[in-house]
Structures are given as structure tokens and as C-alpha cells.
Amino acid sequence: MGLFDRFRRRKPRPHEGDTDLPEPATPDQLHHLFGLPDGTTVSDEGRSLTLEHLVVGELAFPSGRVAFCDPFLGDGAVFVAVAPGTVGRASALGVRLAPDHLRVAALALDLAPGAVAAWTMYVPDGESLDEDSYWGFGVDAGLACFADPDALAALHALQARYYDQPGPLTGPEPVVDEMHGGDGPAYALVYDVEPGRQLAISESGWGDGVYATYVGTDAGGRLVRLMISFDVLSAEHVLS
């Protein structure tokens, strides 16, 4: 596994050393918030927040592997298996703190129809956690993604060609220009590296850190949805 794909951390998170921080929102809570309409107001830690749903788009998983990582650093070694050729639909949950200040609270990937009956934290086979620990992947570029590992490899090759240019860099900077080069930040999008190879990328909450991925299954144990929590909302939030 890549160095930045695999981290085990103890609570509290994401602000180390501050034991007064509340627990982050649970996957059940985030899943519920995804189902509420745009403009829903939430009160959390003394702040009034507004929910915004960000439509990200569809992406394919030709290899039958769904990786989740920092798109610039992850090597795709952390993944769940799906049927080869599966197409997923990604969406993100935005939380607006002010008219000009939005944070992404979670990035989700729907992989099959049906209701989620149970959520479990992704932990690699053979790994175990203490009761006060969690497992997550490291972010060092302020971004997280879902992607086929082959799409990650294609992105890294594209980045190498861009950054290794002799002389001044020319042409669009991979990912960065699409997310930040327009009239305003995109917050989340599907990035096409090449035909058939896409990544669903979003900003990662407050930025760099270690974030858990949750696996949502239906009553029969079938994988329905994946969700990355960015710890923006606490478990103590309430609908206003």
C-alpha cells in the first residue's frame, strides 16, 4: 500500500490534542442529510449552516476496483471490489458557512440501487482497530476522490508530463485548472483523464488530514454506496 493511502489514527480528529471537540457526524447522519432538500438549515457548534447538494457525475470502474484516496498521492492500493465495468454516480454534500464560504462535508458514490441498511468503516483485510481508533486515508493536497486505480495511474502520468516540461509550464494544469481556474471553485467534479478513465474529486472538508471511508450495504449485504466523511459536521448537529 502507498504511504499516503494507509493511516490508522486515534480520536479525537481531525484537530489533534483538542479533547473538547465533539464526535464527527456518523455515516447514518450524513446519509440522512444527503436526502434532505437544498437549503436545509443545520445548527452545529453554535453555527447556522445551510446544506447544498453538489452533483458530481458518473464514472466507470473498468477494472472492478473502486479506490478512495488523495488523487495526487494515492496509488489505488486501497479499494473495494465491484463488478468490472460498474458505473457509479458521485455526489457531494456541501455545507455553507457564509455566502462566500462552502465546505464539502462528504463525498458519496452510489454503486447500485437500493436502500442502505448498514454502514461499516472501511478497514483493510487483516487490519484491526482499537475501540478508540479509526482507519482512514491521508490527504496532503486538500482533495479526495473515488476512482478506478487505472484512472489514478493515468492521472499521475498526465501530471508527470505537465510538471516535467522543459522551461515554463504550458497548457492546463491537471485537475487544478478545472477546479479553480473558472469563475469560482468547483468544489467537486468528475475529471476526465482520458476516454473511459475518470475520477470523482472533491475538496476535503477543512483540507489536509486523515479521513474515513464508509461502506453502505443493503439488507442482503450488497454494496450500495460508499461515502467519505470529512468531519465538517459534528454528531451533535440539529436541524434548525
Tab-separated table of all heavy atoms in Angstrom, residues 11-72:
chain	number	residue	atom	x	y	z
A	11	LYS	N	-8.823	8.871	18.002
A	11	LYS	CA	-9.635	10.064	18.203
A	11	LYS	C	-8.995	10.918	19.291
A	11	LYS	O	-8.262	10.413	20.107
A	11	LYS	CB	-11.049	9.649	18.601
A	11	LYS	CG	-11.743	8.806	17.527
A	11	LYS	CD	-13.102	8.365	18.015
A	11	LYS	CE	-13.756	7.468	16.953
A	11	LYS	NZ	-15.051	6.946	17.403
A	12	PRO	N	-9.245	12.226	19.365
A	12	PRO	CA	-10.158	12.983	18.523
A	12	PRO	C	-9.560	13.309	17.164
A	12	PRO	O	-8.356	13.248	16.997
A	12	PRO	CB	-10.387	14.265	19.322
A	12	PRO	CG	-9.085	14.458	20.031
A	12	PRO	CD	-8.618	13.072	20.394
A	13	ARG	N	-10.375	13.664	16.225
A	13	ARG	CA	-9.983	14.019	14.887
A	13	ARG	C	-10.824	15.178	14.413
A	13	ARG	O	-11.955	15.332	14.835
A	13	ARG	CB	-10.124	12.828	13.956
A	13	ARG	CG	-11.568	12.298	13.921
A	13	ARG	CD	-11.722	11.124	13.004
A	13	ARG	NE	-13.116	10.725	13.011
A	13	ARG	CZ	-13.586	9.725	12.309
A	13	ARG	NH1	-12.808	9.006	11.573
A	13	ARG	NH2	-14.862	9.423	12.353
A	14	PRO	N	-10.433	15.998	13.461
A	14	PRO	CA	-9.130	15.997	12.828
A	14	PRO	C	-8.109	16.878	13.545
A	14	PRO	O	-6.977	16.974	13.114
A	14	PRO	CB	-9.440	16.591	11.447
A	14	PRO	CG	-10.545	17.564	11.737
A	14	PRO	CD	-11.348	16.962	12.859
A	15	HIS	N	-8.496	17.570	14.635
A	15	HIS	CA	-7.610	18.529	15.294
A	15	HIS	C	-6.949	17.854	16.483
A	15	HIS	O	-7.520	17.771	17.568
A	15	HIS	CB	-8.404	19.757	15.733
A	15	HIS	CG	-9.189	20.366	14.617
A	15	HIS	ND1	-8.592	21.001	13.565
A	15	HIS	CD2	-10.523	20.415	14.374
A	15	HIS	CE1	-9.519	21.440	12.732
A	15	HIS	NE2	-10.689	21.089	13.195
A	16	GLU	N	-5.767	17.345	16.292
A	16	GLU	CA	-5.079	16.587	17.333
A	16	GLU	C	-4.887	17.431	18.583
A	16	GLU	O	-4.589	18.619	18.523
A	16	GLU	CB	-3.706	16.135	16.814
A	16	GLU	CG	-3.789	15.147	15.676
A	16	GLU	CD	-4.361	13.818	16.110
A	16	GLU	OE1	-4.405	13.539	17.317
A	16	GLU	OE2	-4.766	13.050	15.226
A	17	GLY	N	-5.081	16.797	19.739
A	17	GLY	CA	-4.777	17.441	21.004
A	17	GLY	C	-5.926	18.188	21.632
A	17	GLY	O	-5.855	18.575	22.795
A	18	ASP	N	-6.989	18.419	20.898
A	18	ASP	CA	-8.135	19.143	21.446
A	18	ASP	C	-9.195	18.134	21.852
A	18	ASP	O	-9.985	17.677	21.039
A	18	ASP	CB	-8.688	20.118	20.400
A	18	ASP	CG	-9.748	21.035	20.990
A	18	ASP	OD1	-10.240	20.740	22.091
A	18	ASP	OD2	-10.061	22.052	20.341
A	19	THR	N	-9.213	17.778	23.123
A	19	THR	CA	-10.121	16.736	23.594
A	19	THR	C	-11.535	17.250	23.798
A	19	THR	O	-12.431	16.474	24.132
A	19	THR	CB	-9.595	16.140	24.916
A	19	THR	OG1	-9.453	17.201	25.867
A	19	THR	CG2	-8.262	15.460	24.700
A	20	ASP	N	-11.774	18.551	23.636
A	20	ASP	CA	-13.108	19.101	23.817
A	20	ASP	C	-13.942	19.037	22.541
A	20	ASP	O	-15.123	19.383	22.558
A	20	ASP	CB	-13.021	20.561	24.282
A	20	ASP	CG	-12.406	20.670	25.670
A	20	ASP	OD1	-12.591	19.738	26.464
A	20	ASP	OD2	-11.720	21.676	25.926
A	21	LEU	N	-13.352	18.626	21.418
A	21	LEU	CA	-14.099	18.572	20.172
A	21	LEU	C	-15.151	17.467	20.228
A	21	LEU	O	-14.888	16.372	20.723
A	21	LEU	CB	-13.157	18.303	18.997
A	21	LEU	CG	-12.297	19.471	18.544
A	21	LEU	CD1	-11.307	19.007	17.505
A	21	LEU	CD2	-13.154	20.586	17.989
A	22	PRO	N	-16.352	17.729	19.715
A	22	PRO	CA	-17.371	16.678	19.679
A	22	PRO	C	-17.030	15.625	18.645
A	22	PRO	O	-16.199	15.836	17.751
A	22	PRO	CB	-18.639	17.445	19.288
A	22	PRO	CG	-18.135	18.612	18.506
A	22	PRO	CD	-16.827	18.999	19.151
A	23	GLU	N	-17.690	14.487	18.746
A	23	GLU	CA	-17.514	13.434	17.756
A	23	GLU	C	-18.021	13.912	16.400
A	23	GLU	O	-18.996	14.672	16.313
A	23	GLU	CB	-18.287	12.192	18.179
A	23	GLU	CG	-17.697	11.476	19.381
A	23	GLU	CD	-16.360	10.842	19.021
A	23	GLU	OE1	-16.307	10.080	18.044
A	23	GLU	OE2	-15.378	11.133	19.714
A	24	PRO	N	-17.399	13.478	15.319
A	24	PRO	CA	-17.903	13.851	13.994
A	24	PRO	C	-19.224	13.159	13.701
A	24	PRO	O	-19.572	12.146	14.317
A	24	PRO	CB	-16.794	13.368	13.050
A	24	PRO	CG	-16.113	12.276	13.791
A	24	PRO	CD	-16.181	12.653	15.239
A	25	ALA	N	-19.962	13.705	12.756
A	25	ALA	CA	-21.227	13.113	12.347
A	25	ALA	C	-21.025	11.670	11.911
A	25	ALA	O	-20.019	11.321	11.294
A	25	ALA	CB	-21.835	13.927	11.212
A	26	THR	N	-21.976	10.826	12.234
A	26	THR	CA	-21.907	9.415	11.872
A	26	THR	C	-22.287	9.240	10.412
A	26	THR	O	-22.935	10.114	9.800
A	26	THR	CB	-22.861	8.588	12.738
A	26	THR	OG1	-24.210	8.947	12.400
A	26	THR	CG2	-22.611	8.819	14.223
A	27	PRO	N	-21.930	8.105	9.802
A	27	PRO	CA	-22.356	7.874	8.412
A	27	PRO	C	-23.873	7.861	8.268
A	27	PRO	O	-24.402	8.317	7.250
A	27	PRO	CB	-21.728	6.528	8.059
A	27	PRO	CG	-21.344	5.904	9.356
A	27	PRO	CD	-21.061	7.028	10.288
A	28	ASP	N	-24.594	7.336	9.263
A	28	ASP	CA	-26.056	7.382	9.206
A	28	ASP	C	-26.561	8.814	9.142
A	28	ASP	O	-27.483	9.136	8.371
A	28	ASP	CB	-26.654	6.693	10.442
A	28	ASP	CG	-26.758	5.183	10.279
A	28	ASP	OD1	-27.012	4.736	9.150
A	28	ASP	OD2	-26.581	4.472	11.272
A	29	GLN	N	-25.967	9.688	9.958
A	29	GLN	CA	-26.396	11.084	9.962
A	29	GLN	C	-26.097	11.754	8.620
A	29	GLN	O	-26.940	12.479	8.075
A	29	GLN	CB	-25.695	11.837	11.097
A	29	GLN	CG	-26.183	11.459	12.481
A	29	GLN	CD	-25.370	12.131	13.577
A	29	GLN	OE1	-24.145	12.236	13.474
A	29	GLN	NE2	-26.039	12.594	14.626
A	30	LEU	N	-24.904	11.546	8.084
A	30	LEU	CA	-24.553	12.158	6.805
A	30	LEU	C	-25.447	11.630	5.687
A	30	LEU	O	-25.892	12.387	4.817
A	30	LEU	CB	-23.084	11.878	6.484
A	30	LEU	CG	-22.065	12.579	7.386
A	30	LEU	CD1	-20.658	12.046	7.094
A	30	LEU	CD2	-22.105	14.092	7.199
A	31	HIS	N	-25.712	10.329	5.706
A	31	HIS	CA	-26.577	9.721	4.695
A	31	HIS	C	-27.959	10.365	4.750
A	31	HIS	O	-28.570	10.651	3.705
A	31	HIS	CB	-26.661	8.215	4.944
A	31	HIS	CG	-27.441	7.470	3.917
A	31	HIS	ND1	-27.093	7.434	2.579
A	31	HIS	CD2	-28.568	6.710	4.032
A	31	HIS	CE1	-27.962	6.678	1.918
A	31	HIS	NE2	-28.868	6.241	2.779
A	32	HIS	N	-28.454	10.607	5.953
A	32	HIS	CA	-29.757	11.265	6.102
A	32	HIS	C	-29.719	12.682	5.536
A	32	HIS	O	-30.660	13.112	4.841
A	32	HIS	CB	-30.148	11.301	7.581
A	32	HIS	CG	-31.412	12.060	7.852
A	32	HIS	ND1	-32.655	11.613	7.458
A	32	HIS	CD2	-31.619	13.263	8.473
A	32	HIS	CE1	-33.578	12.492	7.815
A	32	HIS	NE2	-32.976	13.497	8.428
A	33	LEU	N	-28.643	13.405	5.800
A	33	LEU	CA	-28.540	14.778	5.306
A	33	LEU	C	-28.486	14.826	3.782
A	33	LEU	O	-28.997	15.777	3.171
A	33	LEU	CB	-27.309	15.459	5.901
A	33	LEU	CG	-27.345	15.711	7.415
A	33	LEU	CD1	-26.023	16.297	7.888
A	33	LEU	CD2	-28.509	16.615	7.803
A	34	PHE	N	-27.892	13.817	3.163
A	34	PHE	CA	-27.878	13.755	1.700
A	34	PHE	C	-29.307	13.720	1.150
A	34	PHE	O	-29.547	14.148	0.015
A	34	PHE	CB	-27.124	12.511	1.222
A	34	PHE	CG	-25.674	12.742	0.899
A	34	PHE	CD1	-24.688	12.383	1.792
A	34	PHE	CD2	-25.294	13.293	-0.309
A	34	PHE	CE1	-23.344	12.574	1.504
A	34	PHE	CE2	-23.960	13.487	-0.625
A	34	PHE	CZ	-22.979	13.128	0.283
A	35	GLY	N	-30.236	13.185	1.926
A	35	GLY	CA	-31.612	13.052	1.456
A	35	GLY	C	-32.493	14.254	1.709
A	35	GLY	O	-33.657	14.262	1.287
A	36	LEU	N	-31.980	15.269	2.377
A	36	LEU	CA	-32.758	16.473	2.657
A	36	LEU	C	-32.607	17.488	1.523
A	36	LEU	O	-31.609	17.485	0.797
A	36	LEU	CB	-32.305	17.091	3.981
A	36	LEU	CG	-32.470	16.200	5.218
A	36	LEU	CD1	-31.984	16.932	6.460
A	36	LEU	CD2	-33.920	15.755	5.386
A	37	PRO	N	-33.571	18.370	1.349
A	37	PRO	CA	-33.509	19.317	0.221
A	37	PRO	C	-32.441	20.380	0.402
A	37	PRO	O	-32.027	20.704	1.520
A	37	PRO	CB	-34.911	19.938	0.215
A	37	PRO	CG	-35.422	19.759	1.599
A	37	PRO	CD	-34.841	18.476	2.104
A	38	ASP	N	-32.012	20.917	-0.724
A	38	ASP	CA	-31.110	22.074	-0.714
A	38	ASP	C	-31.717	23.184	0.138
A	38	ASP	O	-32.932	23.419	0.117
A	38	ASP	CB	-30.930	22.616	-2.140
A	38	ASP	CG	-29.653	22.095	-2.787
A	38	ASP	OD1	-28.873	21.420	-2.119
A	38	ASP	OD2	-29.469	22.371	-3.981
A	39	GLY	N	-30.867	23.882	0.870
A	39	GLY	CA	-31.334	24.998	1.669
A	39	GLY	C	-31.723	24.624	3.080
A	39	GLY	O	-32.065	25.513	3.872
A	40	THR	N	-31.694	23.325	3.405
A	40	THR	CA	-31.974	22.908	4.778
A	40	THR	C	-30.956	23.543	5.717
A	40	THR	O	-29.758	23.558	5.434
A	40	THR	CB	-31.909	21.377	4.908
A	40	THR	OG1	-32.921	20.793	4.080
A	40	THR	CG2	-32.122	20.941	6.348
A	41	THR	N	-31.426	24.060	6.818
A	41	THR	CA	-30.552	24.726	7.780
A	41	THR	C	-30.233	23.797	8.937
A	41	THR	O	-31.109	23.115	9.468
A	41	THR	CB	-31.201	26.015	8.310
A	41	THR	OG1	-31.508	26.867	7.209
A	41	THR	CG2	-30.261	26.758	9.249
A	42	VAL	N	-28.972	23.781	9.314
A	42	VAL	CA	-28.485	22.945	10.403
A	42	VAL	C	-27.770	23.825	11.413
A	42	VAL	O	-27.022	24.741	11.034
A	42	VAL	CB	-27.508	21.864	9.867
A	42	VAL	CG1	-26.875	21.088	11.006
A	42	VAL	CG2	-28.225	20.916	8.919
A	43	SER	N	-27.993	23.561	12.685
A	43	SER	CA	-27.264	24.244	13.739
A	43	SER	C	-26.221	23.288	14.301
A	43	SER	O	-26.543	22.153	14.658
A	43	SER	CB	-28.222	24.684	14.848
A	43	SER	OG	-27.523	25.318	15.901
A	44	ASP	N	-24.966	23.746	14.345
A	44	ASP	CA	-23.893	22.861	14.780
A	44	ASP	C	-22.795	23.679	15.446
A	44	ASP	O	-22.257	24.608	14.844
A	44	ASP	CB	-23.330	22.097	13.576
A	44	ASP	CG	-22.413	20.956	13.970
A	44	ASP	OD1	-22.505	20.486	15.120
A	44	ASP	OD2	-21.599	20.529	13.137
A	45	GLU	N	-22.480	23.357	16.678
A	45	GLU	CA	-21.424	24.036	17.431
A	45	GLU	C	-21.594	25.560	17.413
A	45	GLU	O	-20.634	26.307	17.238
A	45	GLU	CB	-20.048	23.651	16.890
A	45	GLU	CG	-19.735	22.164	16.994
A	45	GLU	CD	-18.302	21.860	16.611
A	45	GLU	OE1	-17.409	22.103	17.430
A	45	GLU	OE2	-18.094	21.393	15.470
A	46	GLY	N	-22.848	25.994	17.550
A	46	GLY	CA	-23.133	27.415	17.609
A	46	GLY	C	-23.197	28.105	16.261
A	46	GLY	O	-23.378	29.321	16.198
A	47	ARG	N	-23.069	27.346	15.184
A	47	ARG	CA	-23.109	27.937	13.849
A	47	ARG	C	-24.397	27.533	13.152
A	47	ARG	O	-24.881	26.410	13.307
A	47	ARG	CB	-21.923	27.465	13.005
A	47	ARG	CG	-20.556	27.755	13.593
A	47	ARG	CD	-19.462	27.073	12.800
A	47	ARG	NE	-19.629	25.617	12.793
A	47	ARG	CZ	-18.779	24.789	12.208
A	47	ARG	NH1	-17.722	25.257	11.577
A	47	ARG	NH2	-18.988	23.483	12.251
A	48	SER	N	-24.928	28.427	12.339
A	48	SER	CA	-26.064	28.123	11.487
A	48	SER	C	-25.527	27.835	10.087
A	48	SER	O	-24.876	28.692	9.472
A	48	SER	CB	-27.047	29.296	11.446
A	48	SER	OG	-28.153	28.986	10.626
A	49	LEU	N	-25.775	26.629	9.593
A	49	LEU	CA	-25.212	26.165	8.335
A	49	LEU	C	-26.332	25.816	7.356
A	49	LEU	O	-27.411	25.392	7.770
A	49	LEU	CB	-24.337	24.936	8.574
A	49	LEU	CG	-23.342	25.014	9.736
A	49	LEU	CD1	-22.689	23.665	9.959
A	49	LEU	CD2	-22.297	26.080	9.457
A	50	THR	N	-26.040	25.950	6.078
A	50	THR	CA	-27.010	25.616	5.047
A	50	THR	C	-26.459	24.493	4.174
A	50	THR	O	-25.305	24.556	3.725
A	50	THR	CB	-27.319	26.841	4.166
A	50	THR	OG1	-27.772	27.909	5.000
A	50	THR	CG2	-28.403	26.515	3.151
A	51	LEU	N	-27.289	23.477	3.940
A	51	LEU	CA	-26.861	22.335	3.133
A	51	LEU	C	-27.019	22.643	1.647
A	51	LEU	O	-28.018	23.237	1.230
A	51	LEU	CB	-27.684	21.099	3.481
A	51	LEU	CG	-27.674	20.630	4.935
A	51	LEU	CD1	-28.473	19.335	5.069
A	51	LEU	CD2	-26.247	20.428	5.438
A	52	GLU	N	-26.036	22.215	0.873
A	52	GLU	CA	-26.094	22.323	-0.587
A	52	GLU	C	-25.644	20.992	-1.180
A	52	GLU	O	-24.604	20.471	-0.802
A	52	GLU	CB	-25.201	23.446	-1.102
A	52	GLU	CG	-25.660	24.829	-0.706
A	52	GLU	CD	-24.849	25.928	-1.387
A	52	GLU	OE1	-24.200	25.636	-2.426
A	52	GLU	OE2	-24.865	27.065	-0.886
A	53	HIS	N	-26.443	20.474	-2.108
A	53	HIS	CA	-26.099	19.214	-2.755
A	53	HIS	C	-25.339	19.500	-4.045
A	53	HIS	O	-25.793	20.274	-4.889
A	53	HIS	CB	-27.359	18.403	-3.031
A	53	HIS	CG	-28.090	18.021	-1.784
A	53	HIS	ND1	-27.615	17.061	-0.926
A	53	HIS	CD2	-29.237	18.490	-1.231
A	53	HIS	CE1	-28.441	16.937	0.096
A	53	HIS	NE2	-29.425	17.798	-0.058
A	54	LEU	N	-24.189	18.890	-4.189
A	54	LEU	CA	-23.331	19.093	-5.352
A	54	LEU	C	-23.393	17.852	-6.228
A	54	LEU	O	-22.993	16.763	-5.802
A	54	LEU	CB	-21.890	19.352	-4.907
A	54	LEU	CG	-21.698	20.434	-3.830
A	54	LEU	CD1	-20.231	20.511	-3.428
A	54	LEU	CD2	-22.196	21.778	-4.326
A	55	VAL	N	-23.940	18.007	-7.420
A	55	VAL	CA	-23.983	16.902	-8.373
A	55	VAL	C	-22.604	16.782	-9.008
A	55	VAL	O	-22.108	17.724	-9.634
A	55	VAL	CB	-25.058	17.139	-9.450
A	55	VAL	CG1	-25.031	16.011	-10.473
A	55	VAL	CG2	-26.433	17.241	-8.814
A	56	VAL	N	-21.966	15.641	-8.841
A	56	VAL	CA	-20.609	15.456	-9.348
A	56	VAL	C	-20.648	14.795	-10.721
A	56	VAL	O	-20.129	15.327	-11.694
A	56	VAL	CB	-19.765	14.644	-8.349
A	56	VAL	CG1	-18.332	14.493	-8.850
A	56	VAL	CG2	-19.770	15.335	-6.983
A	57	GLY	N	-21.250	13.609	-10.832
A	57	GLY	CA	-21.389	12.967	-12.126
A	57	GLY	C	-21.078	11.486	-12.082
A	57	GLY	O	-20.836	10.900	-11.031
A	58	GLU	N	-21.098	10.862	-13.254
A	58	GLU	CA	-20.881	9.426	-13.379
A	58	GLU	C	-19.431	9.121	-13.742
A	58	GLU	O	-18.765	9.914	-14.419
A	58	GLU	CB	-21.799	8.831	-14.440
A	58	GLU	CG	-23.271	8.848	-14.069
A	58	GLU	CD	-24.132	8.096	-15.068
A	58	GLU	OE1	-23.636	7.806	-16.193
A	58	GLU	OE2	-25.295	7.789	-14.738
A	59	LEU	N	-18.979	7.968	-13.312
A	59	LEU	CA	-17.645	7.499	-13.675
A	59	LEU	C	-17.634	5.991	-13.674
A	59	LEU	O	-18.414	5.338	-12.960
A	59	LEU	CB	-16.571	8.043	-12.736
A	59	LEU	CG	-16.587	7.623	-11.271
A	59	LEU	CD1	-15.203	7.855	-10.650
A	59	LEU	CD2	-17.611	8.427	-10.478
A	60	ALA	N	-16.742	5.435	-14.486
A	60	ALA	CA	-16.691	3.993	-14.695
A	60	ALA	C	-15.534	3.355	-13.929
A	60	ALA	O	-14.532	4.014	-13.626
A	60	ALA	CB	-16.558	3.694	-16.191
A	61	PHE	N	-15.687	2.067	-13.652
A	61	PHE	CA	-14.668	1.288	-12.952
A	61	PHE	C	-14.380	0.021	-13.757
A	61	PHE	O	-14.787	-1.087	-13.384
A	61	PHE	CB	-15.135	0.975	-11.530
A	61	PHE	CG	-15.398	2.215	-10.726
A	61	PHE	CD1	-16.672	2.773	-10.678
A	61	PHE	CD2	-14.367	2.865	-10.068
A	61	PHE	CE1	-16.906	3.940	-9.966
A	61	PHE	CE2	-14.587	4.038	-9.364
A	61	PHE	CZ	-15.866	4.574	-9.312
A	62	PRO	N	-13.667	0.192	-14.889
A	62	PRO	CA	-13.438	-0.943	-15.784
A	62	PRO	C	-12.722	-2.116	-15.124
A	62	PRO	O	-12.974	-3.280	-15.468
A	62	PRO	CB	-12.574	-0.336	-16.910
A	62	PRO	CG	-12.856	1.126	-16.849
A	62	PRO	CD	-13.102	1.445	-15.414
A	63	SER	N	-11.818	-1.835	-14.183
A	63	SER	CA	-11.042	-2.906	-13.562
A	63	SER	C	-11.816	-3.623	-12.456
A	63	SER	O	-11.349	-4.636	-11.932
A	63	SER	CB	-9.741	-2.342	-12.973
A	63	SER	OG	-10.000	-1.613	-11.780
A	64	GLY	N	-12.981	-3.075	-12.063
A	64	GLY	CA	-13.719	-3.658	-10.961
A	64	GLY	C	-13.169	-3.276	-9.598
A	64	GLY	O	-13.462	-3.939	-8.606
A	65	ARG	N	-12.414	-2.181	-9.530
A	65	ARG	CA	-11.857	-1.700	-8.263
A	65	ARG	C	-12.223	-0.226	-8.076
A	65	ARG	O	-12.056	0.571	-8.985
A	65	ARG	CB	-10.332	-1.856	-8.239
A	65	ARG	CG	-9.845	-3.301	-8.299
A	65	ARG	CD	-8.339	-3.362	-8.512
A	65	ARG	NE	-7.976	-2.862	-9.838
A	65	ARG	CZ	-6.734	-2.543	-10.208
A	65	ARG	NH1	-5.734	-2.636	-9.322
A	65	ARG	NH2	-6.489	-2.114	-11.427
A	66	VAL	N	-12.732	0.087	-6.887
A	66	VAL	CA	-13.062	1.469	-6.545
A	66	VAL	C	-12.085	1.921	-5.472
A	66	VAL	O	-12.167	1.492	-4.321
A	66	VAL	CB	-14.508	1.604	-6.026
A	66	VAL	CG1	-14.817	3.069	-5.722
A	66	VAL	CG2	-15.500	1.039	-7.028
A	67	ALA	N	-11.151	2.762	-5.852
A	67	ALA	CA	-10.160	3.278	-4.911
A	67	ALA	C	-10.650	4.597	-4.337
A	67	ALA	O	-11.432	5.316	-4.957
A	67	ALA	CB	-8.816	3.475	-5.611
A	68	PHE	N	-10.183	4.913	-3.123
A	68	PHE	CA	-10.510	6.187	-2.482
A	68	PHE	C	-9.243	6.696	-1.823
A	68	PHE	O	-8.588	5.997	-1.061
A	68	PHE	CB	-11.642	6.039	-1.464
A	68	PHE	CG	-11.761	4.685	-0.839
A	68	PHE	CD1	-11.120	4.382	0.350
A	68	PHE	CD2	-12.507	3.702	-1.461
A	68	PHE	CE1	-11.214	3.121	0.915
A	68	PHE	CE2	-12.619	2.431	-0.903
A	68	PHE	CZ	-11.970	2.144	0.293
A	69	CYS	N	-8.886	7.936	-2.143
A	69	CYS	CA	-7.579	8.451	-1.730
A	69	CYS	C	-7.469	9.916	-2.114
A	69	CYS	O	-8.365	10.491	-2.713
A	69	CYS	CB	-6.464	7.662	-2.427
A	69	CYS	SG	-6.569	7.683	-4.240
A	70	ASP	N	-6.341	10.526	-1.778
A	70	ASP	CA	-5.923	11.805	-2.327
A	70	ASP	C	-5.532	11.533	-3.781
A	70	ASP	O	-4.647	10.719	-4.043
A	70	ASP	CB	-4.715	12.316	-1.525
A	70	ASP	CG	-4.181	13.651	-2.009
A	70	ASP	OD1	-4.197	13.906	-3.225
A	70	ASP	OD2	-3.701	14.428	-1.171
A	71	PRO	N	-6.187	12.184	-4.766
A	71	PRO	CA	-5.902	11.837	-6.162
A	71	PRO	C	-4.471	12.126	-6.592
A	71	PRO	O	-3.969	11.509	-7.535
A	71	PRO	CB	-6.898	12.695	-6.949
A	71	PRO	CG	-7.216	13.838	-6.037
A	71	PRO	CD	-7.179	13.250	-4.662
A	72	PHE	N	-3.788	13.068	-5.920
A	72	PHE	CA	-2.426	13.389	-6.306
A	72	PHE	C	-1.421	12.402	-5.730
A	72	PHE	O	-0.329	12.248	-6.270
A	72	PHE	CB	-2.060	14.795	-5.856
A	72	PHE	CG	-2.697	15.896	-6.659
A	72	PHE	CD1	-3.544	15.612	-7.714
A	72	PHE	CD2	-2.450	17.221	-6.361
A	72	PHE	CE1	-4.133	16.619	-8.460
A	72	PHE	CE2	-3.030	18.243	-7.099
A	72	PHE	CZ	-3.876	17.936	-8.152
